[in-house]
């Protein structure tokens, strides 16, 4: 399934996040910047994840109709809540585009062949809180509780950590998202993604940390802003559609 992965740039234009109450979490920083764009997700339980993903990848007309800039999947590899746990994601250039798409697509009215392959759990909208390149791979996802008063400092710490890990020679990105409309599953949490190109590369970052890497205290600093960890998983993620 990794052959479906492609590399596309995530929009870099930024706006002032303090211009609105950011999807339920307030910022105290006056000049905090969030990148352009938004992502919608559809969490499902697939009977045969490989067949389900390949079927979606073959149906590009759906993603064109949704106006997606890109679409793909993340398949949970460890920390599963249930078998066949995965989500399908769509990337958009703005929150307006993402919400308009979500309002027009009903996952419960999918064609019979698609519906037979999976059961829908829930959907959600995500806003990136720091710039990153949309280059999916093998990703560790933490669903975290971070107090509004600490969110700006947490983002600064994660940005500093990312730069230090990259300087140590790792192909690595850190992405942070806030959610909206995710129901009880996503209420009050942010997503932190540690993105590596492969499972081996992700493990190398962890080996480095436990070997006493110079950047290790930066992770400890960032983690100090976390009130609670809701979940901790590893996911295989890839792109299967890019807008023409």
């Amino acid at each position: 399934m990794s052959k479906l992965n492609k590399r596309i740039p995530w929009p870099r234009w930024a706006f002032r996040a303090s211009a609105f109450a950011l999807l339920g979490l307030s910022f105290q920083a006056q000049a905090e910047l969030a990148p352009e764009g938004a992502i919608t997700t559809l969490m499902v339980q697939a009977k045969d994840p490989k067949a389900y993903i390949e079927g979606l990848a073959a149906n590009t007309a759906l993603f064109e109709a949704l106006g997606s800039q890109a679409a793909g999947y993340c398949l949970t590899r460890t920390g599963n809540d249930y078998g066949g746990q995965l989500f399908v994601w769509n990337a958009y250039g703005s929150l307006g585009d993402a919400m308009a798409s979500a309002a027009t697509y009903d996952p419960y009215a999918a064609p019979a062949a698609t519906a037979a392959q999976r059961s829908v759990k829930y959907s959600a909208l995500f806003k990136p809180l720091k710039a990153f390149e949309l280059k999916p791979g093998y990703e560790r996802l933490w669903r975290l509780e971070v107090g509004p008063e600490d969110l700006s400092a947490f983002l600064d710490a994660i940005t500093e950590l990312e730069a230090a890990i990259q300087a140590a020679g790792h192909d690595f990105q850190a992405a942070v998202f806030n959610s909206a409309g995710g129901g009880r599953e996503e209420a009050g949490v942010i997503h932190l993604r540690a993105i590596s190109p492969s499972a081996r590369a992700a493990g190398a970052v962890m080996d480095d940390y436990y070997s006493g890497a110079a950047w290790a205290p930066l992770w400890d600093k960032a983690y100090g802003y976390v009130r609670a960890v809701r979940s901790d998983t590893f996911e295989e993620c890839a792109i299967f559609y890019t807008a023409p």
Side-chain angles (χ1 to χ4, degrees):
M1 287 185 286
S2 60
K3 67 182 180 180
L4 298 171
N5 203 357
K6 298 179 181 179
R7 176 176 174 171
I8 65 174
W10 186 257
R12 295 289 179 167
W13 177 85
F15 59 90
R16 287 191 182 275
S18 55
F20 62 97
L22 188 57
L23 304 181
L25 288 178
S26 62
F27 275 78
Q28 56 180 316
Q30 288 76 29
E32 191 65 60
L33 296 180
E36 183 185 35
I39 291 177
T40 61
T41 63
L42 179 66
M43 294 290 301
V44 304
Q45 181 172 16
K47 294 179 180 179
D48 182 341
K50 185 174 185 293
Y52 177 61
I53 291 166
E54 290 178 347
L56 290 173
N59 185 19
T60 59
L62 168 63
F63 304 105
E64 288 184 37
L66 291 173
S68 306
Q69 289 189 351
Y73 72 91
C74 285
L75 174 65
T76 304
R77 286 300 191 181
T78 70
N80 308 58
D81 292 320
Y82 47 83
Q85 181 176 338
L86 65 89
F87 66 86
V88 180
W89 56 264
N90 287 269
Y92 298 90
S94 70
L95 285 164
D97 289 345
M99 293 185 71
S101 174
T104 58
Y105 175 67
D106 182 1
Y108 297 98
T114 299
Q117 290 183 303
R118 49 66 166 165
S119 59
V120 175
K121 297 296 184 178
Y122 67 93
S123 57
L125 173 71
F126 288 89
K127 177 65 191 175
L129 300 185
K130 65 176 290 296
F132 74 104
E133 184 178 13
L134 189 56
K135 189 176 66 171
Y138 204 81
E139 307 183 9
R140 187 173 182 178
L141 166 63
W142 293 269
R143 295 169 67 251
L144 305 173
E145 294 179 17
V146 177
E149 70 279 6
D150 291 327
L151 187 53
S152 181
F154 175 77
L155 289 169
D156 288 344
I158 291 298
T159 300
E160 183 182 12
L161 171 67
E162 176 188 61
I165 293 176
Q166 292 171 350
H170 296 283
D171 185 349
F172 174 87
Q173 288 193 92
V176 182
F177 300 88
N178 196 5
S179 68
R184 70 182 67 183
E185 298 293 338
E186 303 296 350
V189 300
I190 64 167
H191 285 205
L192 169 63
R193 287 187 171 273
I195 305 169
S196 299
S198 66
R200 184 174 295 277
V205 175
M206 296 174 65
D207 282 336
D208 201 8
Y209 173 83
Y210 286 110
S211 296
W215 53 263
L218 296 177
W219 166 252
D220 299 337
K221 174 185 175 181
Y223 196 76
Y225 296 111
V226 175
R227 291 180 175 179
V229 179
R230 293 272 194 94
S231 66
D232 177 7
T233 58
F234 276 104
E235 299 175 349
E236 168 199 305
C237 301
I239 296 173
F240 51 53
Y241 167 78
T242 304

